[in-house]
């Protein structure tokens, strides 16, 4: 069982003082990369939204977010629908409703593989046909032992295992990039955002610096 108070404390300890910088980073990521998969008339869910850095920067007709952190509700834009629940339990969202589900650095924090499998099943159920799941996360195949540098990492996930999990649950893989973004933005020195914009325009260097996979899958 996920402890909400422990989750809240972990977020505070890990991200305190980085909130504004992280929001600026996600504004760049959304506007310069992920927006191509987010039509303005779409219904979008940020799964494991944390402090809302992704969903707050998204332009979409209907924005949803899901997280258990008690602090999340106070950090989201007023028009975002927050689903304050365990993602492995049945979702309070209509079936075949969502155009896009986005999740970043979240699935490795779930308590076990069964919880992750159930979450992917829910994602498939609540996406429209041809709706997409965008999955971003640390790649244990690239990181090795560094994957466990965060105490609340529970499930080892690689790009290959994530692809298999999605295919087993009725998704078709459209794009799978084993090496996309660097590992984390928490325990590093803040860098000028123009470097991130440049990085996103140069896929040729992603393999040198990337340790997070990016997977885009479509509901068949």
């Amino acid at each position: 069982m996920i402890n909400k108070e422990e989750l809240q404390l972990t977020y505070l300890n890990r991200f305190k003082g980085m909130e504004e910088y992280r929001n600026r980073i996600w504004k760049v990521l959304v506007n310069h990369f992920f927006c191509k998969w987010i039509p303005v008339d779409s219904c979008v869910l940020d799964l494991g939204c944390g402090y809302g850095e992704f969903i707050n920067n998204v332009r979409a007709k209907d924005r949803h977010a899901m997280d258990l952190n008690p602090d999340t509700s106070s950090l989201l834009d007023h028009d975002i629908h927050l689903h304050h629940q365990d993602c492995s339990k049945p979702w309070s969202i209509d079936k075949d409703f969502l155009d896009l589900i986005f999740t970043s650095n979240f699935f490795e924090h779930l308590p076990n593989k069964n919880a992750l499998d159930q979450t992917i099943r829910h994602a498939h159920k609540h996406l429209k046909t041809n709706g997409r799941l965008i999955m971003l996360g640390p790649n244990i195949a690239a990181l090795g032992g560094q994957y466990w540098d965060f105490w609340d990492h529970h499930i080892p996930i690689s790009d290959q295992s994530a692809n298999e999990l999605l295919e087993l649950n009725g998704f078709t893989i459209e794009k799978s990039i084993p090496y996309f973004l660097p590992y984390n933005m928490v325990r590093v020195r803040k860098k000028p955002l123009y470097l991130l914009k440049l990085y996103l325009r140069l896929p040729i260097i992603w393999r040198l610096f990337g340790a997070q996979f990016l997977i885009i899958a479509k509901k068949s």
Side-chain angles (χ1 to χ4, degrees):
M1 181 179 294
I2 300 172
N3 186 298
K4 296 181 183 179
E5 287 71 27
E6 288 183 5
L7 179 63
Q8 182 182 37
L9 181 60
T10 298
Y11 269 73
L12 286 171
N13 179 68
R14 186 169 295 161
F15 300 128
K16 186 175 181 180
M18 298 286 289
E19 296 90 346
E20 182 182 355
Y21 178 63
R22 284 171 55 82
N23 186 66
R24 291 167 58 207
I25 285 176
W26 275 105
K27 182 172 291 187
V28 170
L29 289 171
V30 170
N31 292 335
H32 292 264
F33 190 81
F34 289 112
C35 63
K36 69 187 76 173
W37 292 287
I38 312 173
V40 294
D41 62 347
S42 59
C43 299
V44 180
L45 169 67
D46 186 355
L47 179 57
C49 67
Y51 284 177
E53 297 98 338
F54 171 81
I55 198 65
N56 280 337
N57 286 297
V58 164
R59 295 179 183 179
K61 177 183 70 175
D62 197 6
R63 297 186 294 172
H64 295 253
M66 187 179 294
D67 206 287
L68 278 174
N69 190 333
D71 292 332
T72 298
S73 59
S74 65
L75 298 166
L76 298 177
D77 290 350
H78 70 278
D79 61 333
I80 294 174
H81 308 280
L82 175 62
H83 304 269
H84 195 249
Q85 66 162 92
D86 181 341
C87 62
S88 67
K89 305 300 181 183
W91 292 6
S92 55
I93 299 174
D94 291 339
K95 182 181 177 182
D96 303 316
F97 175 75
L98 299 166
D99 295 290
L100 175 71
I101 297 173
F102 178 87
T103 186
S104 171
N105 288 261
F106 174 59
F107 287 155
E108 66 274 13
H109 299 282
L110 295 179
N112 52 58
K113 287 189 175 183
N114 181 64
L116 175 53
D117 186 63
Q118 290 300 317
T119 299
I120 296 299
R121 290 171 185 264
H122 294 318
H124 189 275
K125 176 180 178 180
H126 294 282
L127 278 169
K128 298 175 182 177
T129 300
N130 295 322
R132 289 183 172 90
L133 171 65
I134 298 179
M135 180 177 174
L136 175 65
N139 189 344
I140 195 168
L143 289 163
Q146 283 184 286
Y147 189 88
W148 305 108
D149 285 351
F150 291 90
W151 179 248
D152 54 344
H153 281 191
H154 299 295
I155 308 175
I157 307 173
S158 70
D159 57 303
Q160 293 298 314
S161 63
N163 287 336
E164 184 175 47
L165 171 65
L166 292 169
E167 290 174 336
L168 287 171
N169 282 283
F171 285 93
T172 299
I173 307 301
E174 288 191 321
K175 185 183 291 288
S176 182
I177 303 173
Y179 310 98
F180 178 46
L181 292 177
Y183 185 24
N184 76 82
M185 300 177 293
V186 179
R187 299 168 183 167
V188 295
R189 180 174 59 86
K190 296 178 183 179
K191 297 179 176 61
L193 293 184
Y194 75 84
L195 292 177
L196 175 58
K197 295 176 185 178
L198 180 62
Y199 182 86
L200 292 172
R201 292 199 297 266
L202 296 172
I204 194 171
I205 67 172
W206 292 355
R207 175 142 192 138
L208 297 176
F209 300 100
Q212 295 191 51
F213 58 72
L214 171 64
I215 297 170
I216 301 174
K218 181 180 284 190
K219 176 177 175 177
S220 303

